[in-house]
Amino acid sequence: MYLHLQSVFIIFVVGSVWSHKNVSELKFPPWFKFGAATAAYQIEGGWNISDKSPSIWDVFTHESPGMISDGGAGDEACDSYRLWREDVKIVADLGLDFYRFSISWPRLLPSGFPDRISSAGRRYYSELIDGLLAAGVEPVVTVYHWDLPQSLQDLGGWTNPLISDWFADYARVVFSLYADRVKTWITINEPVIYCDASYTMGVAPKVQSPEIGLYLCKKHALIAHAKAWRIYDKEFKPKYHGKVSLSNLIMWFEPDDDGEEEVAELARQYGGGMYSHPIYSKEGGWPPAIEQLIAKRSLEQGYPRSRLPAFTEHEIQLTRGTYDFYGLNYYTARLTRRARSGERIGIWPFSGISELNITFTTRPEWKKAPPFWFYIYPEGLRHLMTWLRDQYGDMEFFITETGVSDYDGRLHDVDRVEYYQKHLEQVLLSIHEDHVNVTGFTAWTLMDDFEWIDGYRSKFGLYAVDFSDQQRRRTPRTSAVYYRNVVHTGSITPPKYSPYSDNGVTNKIFSCTNLYSLIITVYYVLDFQNC
Ligand code: GBH
């Protein structure tokens, strides 16, 4: 009996040491999908080739270069319009399950309307999709990633309620051209950026309307998404069985040391809830706490009605339930507390959040990445998924973006390796500890590109791009080798025998994984010598 107890104790101790050691040794399930993402304006170039019309970003960068940190524009970018075969090649070299790219609305429909489909535009995306499929990579397509045709902006863009029909018409064209080959769709990328950030900061379309414009934009974006989702559901799903959702960028908020949970929760409802509640909640419509707050504040300010346009009963029903999964983009987090008098309140991308009277800070231990908004907090990703599940119930989560930038663009990018490793670890914990149904992870971004108002300074790429080279040569960074290993092995541990075994996050014990990594590293070195 004594011996028996002793052995149970030994097994327990060994077991806990073993499991502790193995937190980062957890593996992704075999069905889990890995990919990388890009967006049309950020990579394509060919801004005025054939019959393409200008987008709001063409106009903004050309007319206001002073608002871009290096004065740059996406005129040529990575020249993916011409060099898309190079993109397919690196996506295949990484061994990705999928590649997420976006379609340029003014490239496909030069007038903004479906009166005429550009044959050059239609062929471009068709060839890209075929190229990916031939390389064994699934295309994941974003219908709208911020490059609105300027012709539609001239009619009010996202503040005009008719935009939901214009977008739905465009989405129908996209589905009818490519739904036979594309099974995963993102209708709209990050409405929070093109509504909240754009209308509060005067970024493209260069309209400052932090009290009115941003709320019109939000409502119309949600309805546009809903109409597109319903078109797919009714006209395409029965035949093609694909999945459609939108990608929401959500900042994680938690109380600072003297902050109250109630205040953090209000910030979450504003940042994440406004773009989720109308679609994912059972009741639909705006989050009640936010709807009441904006109505109250609007009346105090002397407006005759709430600045936040209400959803009609019909619109609530139209929008509710229009999802097949939750598409989540996660980058950064903030701490919250009630603002003290005289304190500067409201932050990017929610200057409008000043109506919440909340102050946002960060923890000193959160590492800073270059763009002004970026503080790194990997645990936020896990908290966010649990919060979303608690709010809206169990569903499939697909991480449609995360990644980090630097300014020096070094090839041996150990900080980016660490960023991915730590975020992937949080995803593993979500799956294994919280039992959240996460099915995919997308690295932002495949290669350095035009990073909006930060021009070409911020480098987010797994691959470096030489923008002074006519051929825009793409060179893998250490993070590309790391990610490739994750995709191949399902393990987040960096391979020991690799160019970055000195980065302090290597594993100590020899294992089959390492042997395998050695083989793929050698293969990788030989392979890239050929190009
Ligand atoms: C994502 O946005 C985007 O989907 C992607 O296109 C982008 O390149 C990437 O992440 C990295 O930024 O107009 O003030 O908002 C995440 C949030 C959106 C922050 C774009 C910086 C530009 C400045 N980013 N934003 S602003």
Side-chain angles (χ1 to χ4, degrees):
M1 182 60 188
Y2 172 73
L3 262 182
H4 183 64
L5 272 179
Q6 199 180 35
S7 46
V8 167
F9 180 71
I10 289 168
I11 289 168
F12 173 75
V13 170
V14 169
S16 29
V17 169
W18 177 252
S19 64
H20 176 71
K21 197 175 84 194
N22 279 323
V23 172
S24 65
E25 296 276 314
L26 289 172
K27 283 219 172 191
F28 282 93
W31 41 260
F32 193 88
K33 289 182 180 172
F34 292 98
T38 59
Y41 185 72
Q42 297 180 271
I43 64 161
E44 283 179 4
W47 78 277
N48 61 355
I49 216 155
S50 51
D51 51 352
K52 179 181 173 292
S53 72
S55 75
I56 56 172
W57 273 91
D58 292 313
V59 173
F60 180 69
T61 52
H62 294 163
E63 289 182 359
S64 314
M67 289 188 70
I68 311 296
S69 68
D70 60 359
D75 294 8
E76 289 161 34
C78 307
D79 206 0
S80 290
Y81 185 71
R82 190 170 57 95
L83 300 170
W84 61 268
R85 287 181 186 80
E86 297 302 308
D87 301 345
V88 173
K89 184 173 176 295
I90 60 178
V91 159
D93 283 343
L94 285 169
L96 300 182
D97 299 302
F98 66 91
Y99 173 49
R100 176 181 171 223
F101 65 92
S102 83
I103 291 183
S104 160
W105 188 341
R107 191 183 297 292
L108 195 64
L109 302 181
S111 74
F113 295 99
D115 55 322
R116 194 172 52 79
I117 301 170
S118 160
S119 53
R122 149 202 221 145
R123 188 178 341 110
Y124 173 62
Y125 298 109
S126 187
E127 286 183 352
L128 174 59
I129 291 167
D130 287 343
L132 288 166
L133 291 171
V137 179
E138 191 189 322
V140 170
V141 175
T142 311
V143 181
Y144 181 74
H145 200 123
W146 312 348
D147 43 357
L148 188 72
Q150 180 63 38
S151 58
L152 300 185
Q153 182 57 41
D154 295 340
L155 302 174
W158 288 99
T159 64
N160 185 335
L162 294 176
I163 190 127
S164 61
D165 287 323
W166 303 339
F167 177 77
D169 292 343
Y170 160 54
R172 180 184 277 111
V173 170
V174 174
F175 295 148
S176 62
L177 293 175
Y178 310 122
D180 56 341
R181 290 160 285 163
V182 175
K183 302 296 167 200
T184 308
W185 296 93
I186 301 297
T187 53
I188 288 179
N189 184 67
E190 299 183 353
V192 69
I193 293 298
Y194 74 80
C195 294
D196 300 56
S198 290
Y199 285 95
T200 56
M201 295 172 64
V203 174
K206 216 179 176 185
V207 177
Q208 285 265 10
S209 183
E211 295 202 326
I212 308 286
L214 86 168
Y215 291 136
L216 298 175
C217 179
K218 277 181 207 230
K219 182 182 166 189
H220 304 151
L222 287 158
I223 293 189
H225 154 79
K227 286 184 175 168
W229 188 91
R230 294 206 179 275
I231 285 172
Y232 186 88
D233 195 55
K234 189 157 169 248
E235 300 171 27
F236 299 90
K237 195 166 191 163
K239 189 154 175 210
Y240 299 118
H241 315 291
K243 291 182 173 184
V244 185
S245 279
L246 78 168
S247 286
N248 273 322
L249 170 73
I250 313 190
M251 228 191 237
W252 172 247
F253 295 117
E254 61 189 37
D256 82 357
D257 295 340
D258 3 290
E260 298 140 58
E261 172 59 24
E262 196 194 321
V263 175
E265 185 56 24
L266 199 64
R268 288 176 208 136
Q269 291 298 340
Y270 189 93
M274 287 190 93
Y275 291 104
S276 305
H277 198 275
I279 298 171
Y280 295 93
S281 72
K282 294 203 172 44
E283 25 338 320
W286 298 119
I290 302 297
E291 192 164 36
Q292 285 156 23
L293 203 100
I294 300 174
K296 183 164 164 278
R297 179 99 180 101
S298 304
L299 297 183
E300 281 164 11
Q301 289 171 304
Y303 289 97
R305 67 186 72 84
S306 180
R307 290 180 278 107
L308 180 68
F311 279 92
T312 63
E313 191 48 41
H314 167 73
E315 289 166 342
I316 289 177
Q317 302 309 333
L318 174 79
T319 311
R320 210 177 52 147
T322 54
Y323 67 89
D324 296 306
F325 55 89
Y326 199 103
L328 177 63
N329 293 0
Y330 174 75
Y331 289 87
T332 194
R334 293 293 184 276
L335 303 175
T336 57
R337 66 171 156 72
R338 232 177 271 283
R340 298 176 189 135
S341 73
E343 217 165 30
R344 192 183 151 263
I345 49 175
I347 45 138
W348 172 92
F350 310 114
S351 302
I353 211 171
S354 61
E355 46 204 334
L356 299 184
N357 207 26
I358 294 172
T359 294
F360 297 89
T361 56
T362 55
R363 260 186 230 293
E365 56 271 29
W366 291 355
K367 274 199 194 164
K368 183 80 195 70
F372 67 94
W373 49 272
F374 209 156
Y375 293 84
I376 301 172
Y377 182 45
E379 290 79 1
L381 175 57
R382 181 178 175 192
H383 296 325
L384 203 44
M385 287 195 277
T386 318
W387 180 78
L388 287 165
R389 188 181 57 178
D390 291 348
Q391 291 286 310
Y392 308 115
D394 225 348
M395 62 182 141
E396 179 182 343
F397 285 86
F398 198 92
I399 297 165
T400 41
E401 279 180 36
T402 190
V404 72
S405 68
D406 57 45
Y407 276 168
D408 60 24
R410 76 199 103 118
L411 289 179
H412 190 45
D413 55 343
V414 288
D415 291 345
R416 188 169 292 105
V417 170
E418 188 188 327
Y419 179 96
Y420 279 120
Q421 186 179 9
K422 292 201 163 155
H423 286 74
L424 285 162
E425 182 172 81
Q426 294 302 313
V427 179
L428 281 172
L429 291 169
S430 286
I431 297 172
H432 293 279
E433 302 275 314
D434 307 338
H435 308 290
V436 173
N437 181 20
V438 197
T439 59
F441 181 93
T442 316
W444 182 274
T445 176
L446 178 64
M447 58 191 162
D448 294 344
D449 61 4
F450 177 76
E451 174 51 27
W452 310 108
I453 57 170
D454 218 17
Y456 294 95
R457 283 204 313 169
S458 276
K459 302 191 185 297
F460 274 89
L462 294 170
Y463 281 66
V465 174
D466 181 355
F467 291 101
S468 61
D469 171 27
Q470 273 291 310
Q471 290 310 309
R472 295 291 192 275
R473 191 185 151 86
R474 290 108 162 99
T475 308
R477 293 201 165 100
T478 299
S479 56
V481 188
Y482 170 72
Y483 195 48
R484 177 185 171 126
N485 188 61
V486 173
V487 178
H488 278 277
T489 62
S491 156
I492 63 171
T493 309
K496 190 171 181 193
Y497 299 97
S498 70
Y500 48 88
S501 52
D502 60 346
N503 66 8
V505 279
T506 50
N507 52 346
K508 301 275 182 290
I509 33 163
F510 185 85
S511 71
C512 292
T513 312
N514 291 336
L515 185 58
Y516 184 59
S517 304
L518 172 64
I519 294 165
I520 69 158
T521 306
V522 169
Y523 167 76
Y524 157 84
V525 169
L526 293 176
D527 194 29
F528 281 108
Q529 274 168 357
N530 291 335
C531 64

